[in-house]
């Protein structure tokens, strides 16, 4: 009978360990997906900023103006900024260990002061060359 109690305790402890490991793995997977989504959004934002800069440059070089298209890019970049902020503000699940992923380096535009990616060539706010 004493052996049965010990086996029951061992089994019970084993079940707790497995449940804990399963929860940890699930939490890590969820955080990994969040970080992957964040990196993807930051990449899309950088690409849109480069495209906007190239558009503004091309328009200026040719003496043309296309304000609606420029505003469309600015709105798209703003929407990506909102999604990035939303993703960053999501709280970690209870007991979840957040995975540190380095953020894309940022700097400020010397013209308008808006935060821009380190590798941005043009400011998404005012279009100034960086």
């Amino acid at each position: 009978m004493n052996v049965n109690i010990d086996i029951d305790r061992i089994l019970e402890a084993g079940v707790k360990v497995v449940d804990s490991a399963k929860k940890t793995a699930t939490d890590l997977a969820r955080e990994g997906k969040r970080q992957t989504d964040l990196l993807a959004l930051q990449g899309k934002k950088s690409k849109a900023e480069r495209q906007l800069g190239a558009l503004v440059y091309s328009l200026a070089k040719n003496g043309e103006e296309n304000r609606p298209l420029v505003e469309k890019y600015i709105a798209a970049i703003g929407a990506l900024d909102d999604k990035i902020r939303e993703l960053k503000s999501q709280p970690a699940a209870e007991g979840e260990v957040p995975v540190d992923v380095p953020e894309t380096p940022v700097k400020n535009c010397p013209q308008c002061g808006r935060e821009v990616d380190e590798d941005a060539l043009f400011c998404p706010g005012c279009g100034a060359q960086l």
Side-chain angles (χ1 to χ4, degrees):
M1 183 154 181
N2 209 6
V3 173
N4 283 342
I5 292 174
D6 289 341
I7 291 174
D8 289 341
R9 285 184 187 166
I10 291 170
L11 289 174
E12 194 175 304
V15 168
K16 286 181 182 178
V17 168
V18 169
D19 287 345
S20 176
K22 181 180 173 185
K23 182 180 180 337
T24 300
T26 301
D27 290 346
L28 286 172
R30 186 179 306 119
E31 178 62 14
K33 180 178 180 346
R34 188 177 78 87
Q35 292 295 336
T36 301
D37 292 347
L38 181 60
L39 289 173
L41 285 172
Q42 289 172 334
K44 285 181 183 180
K45 179 185 170 204
S46 290
K47 181 178 179 182
E49 288 173 340
R50 286 190 301 275
Q51 290 173 339
L52 173 62
L55 172 66
V56 170
Y57 172 77
S58 176
L59 290 171
K61 185 176 180 181
N62 295 318
E64 299 173 4
E65 194 171 311
N66 189 341
R67 192 71 190 160
L69 184 57
V70 170
E71 288 175 1
K72 182 179 175 181
Y73 269 96
I74 291 171
I77 292 168
L80 288 169
D81 270 336
D82 292 343
K83 288 180 183 179
I84 289 169
R85 266 192 298 281
E86 179 183 324
L87 219 76
K88 285 183 175 182
S89 69
Q90 287 179 355
E94 186 176 322
E96 186 173 324
V97 179
V99 178
D100 288 332
V101 174
E103 289 190 29
T104 305
V106 292
K107 61 183 178 183
N108 292 338
C109 171
Q111 293 290 96
C112 69
R114 180 173 176 167
E115 190 175 273
V116 296
D117 284 340
E118 185 67 33
D119 63 348
L121 301 175
F122 298 91
C123 174
C126 69
Q129 185 173 0
L130 303 172

